[in-house]
Amino acid sequence: MEKWKRYVVALLVILFVGVGYMFYSKEPEKTMVEEFTTVEEAEAVPVTEVVVYVTGAVEAPDTYTMPQGARVGDVLSLAVLTDEADPEQLNLAQLLVDGTKIMVPKQGEAVAVPETDTTNGIHVNSATKEELMTVPGIGPAKADAILNYLKEHGPFKSYDELGNVKGFGEKTLESMEGYLLVP
Protein backbone atom coordinates (compact mmCIF):
# COMPACT_ATOMS: atom_id res chain seq x y z
CA MET A 1 0.00 0.00 0.00
CA GLU A 2 2.89 2.32 0.70
CA LYS A 3 4.04 2.03 -2.91
CA TRP A 4 0.59 3.00 -4.15
CA LYS A 5 0.65 6.27 -2.13
CA ARG A 6 4.00 7.21 -3.64
CA TYR A 7 2.56 6.85 -7.16
CA VAL A 8 -0.44 9.04 -6.27
CA VAL A 9 1.78 11.71 -4.74
CA ALA A 10 4.12 11.64 -7.75
CA LEU A 11 1.14 11.91 -10.10
CA LEU A 12 -0.25 14.90 -8.17
CA VAL A 13 3.16 16.65 -8.21
CA ILE A 14 3.44 16.11 -11.98
CA LEU A 15 -0.13 17.37 -12.42
CA PHE A 16 0.55 20.56 -10.40
CA VAL A 17 3.81 21.21 -12.26
CA GLY A 18 2.04 20.74 -15.60
CA VAL A 19 -0.80 23.09 -14.73
CA GLY A 20 1.66 25.68 -13.39
CA TYR A 21 3.69 25.47 -16.59
CA MET A 22 0.54 26.02 -18.69
CA PHE A 23 -0.36 29.18 -16.79
CA TYR A 24 3.22 30.45 -16.77
CA SER A 25 3.77 29.98 -20.51
CA LYS A 26 0.43 31.51 -21.54
CA GLU A 27 0.72 34.85 -23.45
CA PRO A 28 -0.54 37.86 -21.49
CA GLU A 29 -3.88 39.23 -22.64
CA LYS A 30 -4.33 42.86 -23.66
CA THR A 31 -5.60 45.02 -20.88
CA MET A 32 -8.86 46.91 -21.25
CA VAL A 33 -7.01 50.24 -21.15
CA GLU A 34 -4.95 49.34 -24.22
CA GLU A 35 -8.12 48.37 -26.10
CA PHE A 36 -9.85 51.64 -25.21
CA THR A 37 -6.92 53.79 -26.29
CA THR A 38 -6.82 51.93 -29.59
CA VAL A 39 -10.51 52.69 -30.17
CA GLU A 40 -10.03 56.36 -29.27
CA GLU A 41 -7.09 56.69 -31.67
CA ALA A 42 -9.09 55.10 -34.49
CA GLU A 43 -12.03 57.48 -33.97
CA ALA A 44 -9.97 60.68 -33.64
CA VAL A 45 -11.66 63.56 -35.44
CA PRO A 46 -9.43 66.04 -37.27
CA VAL A 47 -9.51 69.61 -36.02
CA THR A 48 -11.70 71.75 -38.24
CA GLU A 49 -11.02 75.33 -39.21
CA VAL A 50 -13.08 78.45 -39.78
CA VAL A 51 -12.42 81.20 -42.31
CA VAL A 52 -13.40 84.78 -41.49
CA TYR A 53 -12.96 88.10 -43.27
CA VAL A 54 -11.55 90.95 -41.17
CA THR A 55 -11.86 94.50 -42.47
CA GLY A 56 -12.08 98.04 -41.16
CA ALA A 57 -9.56 99.64 -38.82
CA VAL A 58 -6.89 96.93 -39.10
CA GLU A 59 -3.43 96.99 -40.66
CA ALA A 60 -3.93 93.74 -42.60
CA PRO A 61 -7.54 93.35 -43.77
CA ASP A 62 -7.85 89.87 -45.24
CA THR A 63 -9.42 86.45 -44.83
CA TYR A 64 -8.00 84.43 -41.96
CA THR A 65 -8.13 80.69 -41.37
CA MET A 66 -8.42 79.94 -37.67
CA PRO A 67 -8.90 76.73 -35.67
CA GLN A 68 -12.45 76.00 -34.59
CA GLY A 69 -13.01 77.45 -31.14
CA ALA A 70 -10.99 80.60 -31.86
CA ARG A 71 -12.46 83.93 -30.81
CA VAL A 72 -12.77 87.39 -32.36
CA GLY A 73 -9.87 88.63 -30.21
CA ASP A 74 -7.63 85.87 -31.56
CA VAL A 75 -8.13 86.84 -35.20
CA LEU A 76 -7.81 90.57 -34.42
CA SER A 77 -4.37 89.93 -32.93
CA LEU A 78 -3.32 88.63 -36.35
CA ALA A 79 -4.98 91.45 -38.31
CA VAL A 80 -3.34 94.05 -35.99
CA LEU A 81 -5.61 96.91 -34.93
CA THR A 82 -4.73 100.43 -36.05
CA ASP A 83 -4.41 103.36 -33.62
CA GLU A 84 -7.84 104.61 -34.65
CA ALA A 85 -9.58 101.25 -34.06
CA ASP A 86 -12.32 100.99 -31.41
CA PRO A 87 -12.31 97.33 -30.29
CA GLU A 88 -14.61 98.16 -27.35
CA GLN A 89 -17.55 98.03 -29.75
CA LEU A 90 -16.83 94.37 -30.58
CA ASN A 91 -17.31 91.26 -28.48
CA LEU A 92 -13.72 89.99 -28.41
CA ALA A 93 -14.80 86.81 -26.61
CA GLN A 94 -17.32 85.78 -29.30
CA LEU A 95 -16.58 82.48 -31.03
CA LEU A 96 -15.70 82.76 -34.70
CA VAL A 97 -18.26 81.40 -37.16
CA ASP A 98 -17.12 80.17 -40.54
CA GLY A 99 -17.85 82.58 -43.37
CA THR A 100 -18.51 85.69 -41.28
CA LYS A 101 -17.20 89.22 -41.73
CA ILE A 102 -15.71 91.14 -38.82
CA MET A 103 -15.83 94.91 -39.34
CA VAL A 104 -13.56 96.78 -36.90
CA PRO A 105 -14.95 100.30 -36.44
CA LYS A 106 -12.88 103.44 -36.00
CA GLN A 107 -13.22 105.48 -32.81
CA GLY A 108 -16.43 107.49 -32.93
CA GLU A 109 -17.81 105.34 -35.73
CA ALA A 110 -20.90 103.30 -34.97
CA VAL A 111 -20.87 99.56 -35.57
CA ALA A 112 -23.29 98.56 -38.27
CA VAL A 113 -25.62 96.09 -36.55
CA PRO A 114 -27.36 93.89 -39.08
CA GLU A 115 -31.11 94.07 -38.72
CA THR A 116 -32.86 90.87 -37.86
CA ASP A 117 -34.98 90.05 -40.87
CA THR A 118 -36.65 86.67 -40.58
CA THR A 119 -37.63 86.75 -44.25
CA ASN A 120 -33.96 86.20 -45.13
CA GLY A 121 -33.36 83.98 -42.12
CA ILE A 122 -31.25 84.00 -38.99
CA HIS A 123 -27.78 82.45 -39.07
CA VAL A 124 -28.22 79.98 -36.24
CA ASN A 125 -24.47 79.57 -35.56
CA SER A 126 -23.99 83.26 -34.75
CA ALA A 127 -27.44 84.28 -33.48
CA THR A 128 -28.13 85.62 -30.01
CA LYS A 129 -30.94 84.32 -27.84
CA GLU A 130 -33.02 87.38 -28.68
CA GLU A 131 -32.50 86.88 -32.43
CA LEU A 132 -33.48 83.23 -32.19
CA MET A 133 -36.67 84.16 -30.34
CA THR A 134 -37.78 86.31 -33.31
CA VAL A 135 -38.29 83.09 -35.29
CA PRO A 136 -41.88 81.85 -35.08
CA GLY A 137 -42.04 78.82 -32.80
CA ILE A 138 -38.84 79.55 -30.87
CA GLY A 139 -39.30 80.74 -27.32
CA PRO A 140 -36.78 81.11 -24.52
CA ALA A 141 -36.51 77.35 -23.88
CA LYS A 142 -35.81 76.40 -27.52
CA ALA A 143 -33.40 79.33 -27.94
CA ASP A 144 -31.50 78.14 -24.84
CA ALA A 145 -31.49 74.56 -26.19
CA ILE A 146 -29.92 75.76 -29.47
CA LEU A 147 -27.29 77.85 -27.69
CA ASN A 148 -26.44 74.99 -25.30
CA TYR A 149 -26.06 72.62 -28.25
CA LEU A 150 -23.70 75.10 -29.91
CA LYS A 151 -21.58 75.30 -26.75
CA GLU A 152 -21.34 71.52 -26.43
CA HIS A 153 -21.00 70.45 -30.07
CA GLY A 154 -19.79 73.51 -31.99
CA PRO A 155 -21.42 75.10 -35.04
CA PHE A 156 -24.12 73.35 -37.04
CA LYS A 157 -22.81 72.02 -40.35
CA SER A 158 -26.21 71.32 -41.92
CA TYR A 159 -29.83 72.25 -41.34
CA ASP A 160 -30.70 68.63 -40.56
CA GLU A 161 -28.30 68.70 -37.60
CA LEU A 162 -30.81 70.97 -35.83
CA GLY A 163 -32.83 67.78 -35.33
CA ASN A 164 -30.28 66.77 -32.67
CA VAL A 165 -31.37 69.68 -30.47
CA LYS A 166 -33.75 68.73 -27.67
CA GLY A 167 -37.29 69.70 -28.65
CA PHE A 168 -36.67 69.84 -32.41
CA GLY A 169 -38.55 67.16 -34.31
CA GLU A 170 -39.28 66.81 -38.01
CA LYS A 171 -42.38 69.04 -37.90
CA THR A 172 -40.53 71.77 -36.02
CA LEU A 173 -37.70 71.68 -38.55
CA GLU A 174 -40.13 71.87 -41.46
CA SER A 175 -41.93 74.89 -39.99
CA MET A 176 -38.68 76.82 -39.40
CA GLU A 177 -36.82 75.92 -42.59
CA GLY A 178 -37.08 79.38 -44.13
CA TYR A 179 -36.20 81.17 -40.90
CA LEU A 180 -33.06 79.42 -39.64
CA LEU A 181 -29.99 79.43 -41.86
CA VAL A 182 -27.06 77.06 -41.46
CA PRO A 183 -23.95 77.77 -43.56
Side-chain angles (χ1 to χ4, degrees), residues 54 56-61 64 73-83 85 104:
V54 181
V58 292
E59 290 181 12
Y64 291 87
D74 298 331
V75 75
L76 291 182
S77 67
L78 296 176
V80 185
L81 298 172
T82 64
D83 291 337
V104 180

Side-chain angles (χ1 to χ4, degrees), residues 59-116:
E59 290 181 12
D62 202 352
T63 57
Y64 291 87
T65 302
M66 302 292 290
Q68 187 166 351
R71 306 205 179 254
V72 171
D74 298 331
V75 75
L76 291 182
S77 67
L78 296 176
V80 185
L81 298 172
T82 64
D83 291 337
E84 36 188 44
D86 188 6
E88 292 297 318
Q89 293 190 50
L90 300 173
N91 180 0
L92 300 179
Q94 182 178 359
L95 286 172
L96 294 176
V97 177
D98 189 49
T100 58
K101 177 180 178 180
I102 301 169
M103 174 65 181
V104 180
K106 294 180 180 178
Q107 293 176 1
E109 182 179 81
V111 174
V113 178
E115 292 184 24
T116 304

Side-chain angles (χ1 to χ4, degrees), residues 126-141:
S126 60
T128 64
K129 181 177 180 177
E130 292 75 24
E131 290 172 331
L132 289 170
M133 291 185 347
T134 63
V135 174
I138 295 185

Side-chain angles (χ1 to χ4, degrees), residues 92-171:
L92 300 179
Q94 182 178 359
L95 286 172
L96 294 176
V97 177
D98 189 49
T100 58
K101 177 180 178 180
I102 301 169
M103 174 65 181
V104 180
K106 294 180 180 178
Q107 293 176 1
E109 182 179 81
V111 174
V113 178
E115 292 184 24
T116 304
D117 181 7
T118 56
T119 58
N120 291 330
I122 303 265
H123 290 279
V124 70
N125 289 335
S126 60
T128 64
K129 181 177 180 177
E130 292 75 24
E131 290 172 331
L132 289 170
M133 291 185 347
T134 63
V135 174
I138 295 185
K142 283 190 178 178
D144 285 337
I146 291 171
L147 295 174
N148 288 335
Y149 185 91
L150 284 168
K151 285 180 187 174
E152 292 176 20
H153 304 284
F156 293 98
K157 293 168 186 61
S158 70
Y159 185 78
D160 293 334
E161 193 178 343
L162 283 166
N164 297 335
V165 177
K166 183 180 179 184
F168 279 73
E170 286 183 39
K171 290 185 179 184

Side-chain angles (χ1 to χ4, degrees), residues 47-63:
V47 176
T48 58
E49 298 176 330
V50 294
V51 178
V52 295
Y53 176 55
V54 181
T55 186
V58 292
E59 290 181 12
D62 202 352
T63 57

